[in-house]
Structures are given as C-alpha cells and as structure tokens.
Amino acid sequence: MTVLDDIIAGVREDLEARRLSQAEIEDAARAAAPARDAWAALGGGQPDAGLKVIAEIKRSSPSKGELAGIVDPAALAEQYVSGGASVISVLTEQRRFKGSLADLDAVRARVDVPLLRKDFTVDEYQIWEARAHGADLILLIAAALDDAQLKDFSDLTHELGMNVLLETHTLEEIERAAAVEARIIGVNVRNLKTLDVDRGVFGGLASAIPAGAIAVAESGVRGVEDAVHYASQGAQALLVGEALVTTEDPRRLLQDFREAGTRAMPARRG
C-alpha cells in the first residue's frame, strides 16, 4: 500500500463518521454564500498578472511530521492576506495533516479571499461539503481518481460555482487534466510513493500544461530561490505551506516570494 492509498483509506473512514444525508449536505451547500472566483484571483486571463501565491495553513505532513501548532488558523490567514496571498489553502484532512473543517469555517469567517479546501477528494459528498463550508476551490489529485471521476467531480465542482486545482505528477496526468479541460493545473514535485521532492520535475512538465491554463508549482518551496526557480520555469502560482508556517514572519516571506518570483517570470503565455 502506498502512502496515498493509506491516506485515502483514512479519509474514507473519517468521511463515513461525519456524513450527513445527501439532502442535508446539498441544502447546506446551496445556502452558502456564492463562491469567490479563484480563477480570477490567480490571474486567469490577466496579462502580466505576476506570480501568485496559494498560502497554506498546514500543521503537519506525512513527510515531516508536526510543523506548527497553529492555534488560530484565522489569524494566520489574515497574515497571509496582508502579505498578498491570492488564495488561502486550508488542509482539512485530520489524520496526517491535523486539519479540520472547523479550520475552514474559522478562516472563512475571517478573510474574503478565495479558499482552497485541501483534502483528498474521493467522493462527490466531499465536494458538496466543501461548498457548504465556504470553499471556493477544491483539490482533485489525478493519481487518486480515474478518468470518469475526474470528469464527474470537475463537472460537479463547476456546477456549484467553484474551481478545481487539478494536481498532477506526470505527463500522462497532465494529458488527463487537459482532457477534462482543467483550467488550474498543479504539478506536485513530491513523489507520492517515496515522499521525496525533486524540484526538477516541474520544469520538465510545465511546458506540457495547456496554454491558457494556470500552472501551479506544488511542494519544495523552501525559500525565495525556489520561488524564483519555479517562476522562471513557467509557474504562474505557487502552493506554499511548510516555509510559511515555520517562519517567524509569514507576511514578509510571502511578499518576498511574490516580488522575486514576478521578476523571474518569462513572458506570460496566452
């Protein structure tokens, strides 16, 4: 069993423990305020938008263990917003990442930027649940889903007014993302089997991301030099967690990522 398989098994158990009736979760999703436009927030359709940052609230990870206590996720989110984060990512997986839907609720009540519900989506219920808790963007991991699920989950997400960050690791997964017309495509440079990070993976795959889609570099951003590296290789946005939750001044570091990364970006693709 891979690390991903193990995480998903736990996600399914936890989902069944909290699952409401389908009617209840759909009613809650429809009662939520309209979703914010994460596509636009990440520079979609805007020439020279500069490097965007998806700033993550992340207490723990399978590769590093505990990273930060984060007693007040909403206060951290406010620091991210003051540093210019375009989107806040809130981990809601509880076993390996120590997140929760309560974190998502707290952050939603405090900030107005789009929110990514960062979890392992393996059931349509989770998409309704994300919308009910105020998410504007969800993560779909190509390695965890078959082609039919990618299409069905993407279609439902868009029907609910949200956007999808479709995470890929290989050229074949980017092709699958393109087949469902994904508009925000992430390349995660962390190997899901070994948890090793290879920052060179992004540059080898970024050119395969369809023109017009937003290219997001995921994992491996330790400092400004990594932001510059990814931006120079075609990243239009970074997803950053560990570096921000372990620094004393996340607002300043986030600003540095944006400013240095924007200077390193090649001409914007159409």
Side-chain angles (χ1 to χ4, degrees):
M1 177 179 284
T2 68
V3 173
L4 179 61
D5 292 334
D6 187 49
I7 291 173
I8 288 174
V11 165
R12 289 188 183 280
E13 284 186 23
D14 294 338
L15 173 58
E16 291 311 311
R18 68 173 185 272
R19 189 189 288 267
L20 306 174
S21 73
Q22 191 62 30
E24 286 177 296
I25 199 64
E26 289 188 16
D27 286 347
R30 292 190 176 103
R36 293 156 177 81
D37 191 346
W39 161 258
L42 291 171
Q46 303 172 39
D48 304 319
L51 185 71
K52 305 299 184 181
V53 177
I54 302 172
E56 190 155 88
I57 293 171
K58 182 177 185 179
R59 293 189 178 89
S60 182
S61 77
S63 61
K64 294 290 184 67
E66 185 171 348
L67 299 171
I70 313 182
V71 175
D72 189 346
L76 179 57
E78 287 182 317
Q79 290 188 64
Y80 287 165
V81 172
S82 69
S86 297
V87 171
I88 306 296
S89 171
V90 183
L91 274 152
T92 59
E93 195 280 332
Q94 61 194 64
R95 299 192 183 201
R96 298 293 191 97
F97 295 89
K98 303 293 189 288
S100 69
L101 286 165
D103 288 343
L104 185 61
D105 292 337
V107 174
R108 178 73 294 157
R110 194 80 65 87
V111 303
D112 289 329
V113 301
L115 301 186
L116 164 66
R117 185 205 179 168
K118 182 84 174 292
D119 211 315
F120 297 79
T121 305
V122 292
D123 188 305
E124 285 191 354
Y125 180 94
Q126 293 167 282
I127 302 172
W128 289 99
E129 186 178 56
R131 185 79 282 275
H133 287 269
D136 311 291
L137 180 67
I138 68 160
L139 178 73
L140 296 181
I141 302 174
L145 303 168
D146 62 30
D147 290 346
Q149 289 172 316
L150 281 181
K151 183 179 188 309
D152 291 346
F153 289 6
S154 295
D155 287 349
L156 175 58
T157 302
H158 295 143
E159 286 171 16
L160 294 177
M162 296 186 290
N163 282 282
V164 170
L165 169 57
L166 208 162
E167 178 177 300
T168 66
H169 299 81
T170 65
L171 177 59
E172 185 266 342
E173 290 177 1
I174 290 176
E175 291 170 348
R176 293 175 62 211
V180 297
E181 300 181 343
R183 297 202 303 164
I184 308 172
I185 299 177
V187 173
N188 192 337
V189 304
R190 187 180 300 281
N191 186 304
L192 291 179
K193 295 180 180 178
T194 66
L195 300 182
D196 292 336
V197 169
D198 180 356
R199 292 167 187 81
V201 167
F202 182 84
L205 295 177
S207 62
I209 294 175
I214 297 170
V216 183
E218 301 180 42
S219 297
V221 181
R222 301 160 299 184
V224 172
E225 67 278 3
D226 293 314
V228 168
H229 167 76
Y230 285 137
S232 70
Q233 296 292 311
Q236 293 156 271
L238 305 177
L239 175 60
V240 188
E242 181 180 341
L244 292 175
V245 301
T246 57
T247 186
E248 292 184 359
D249 191 349
R251 181 191 63 80
R252 179 69 258 175
L253 183 58
L254 206 158
Q255 289 178 330
D256 291 344
F257 286 157
R258 292 173 47 242
E259 292 167 5
T262 295
R263 290 193 296 269
M265 292 176 77
R268 180 81 178 225
R269 300 176 304 160

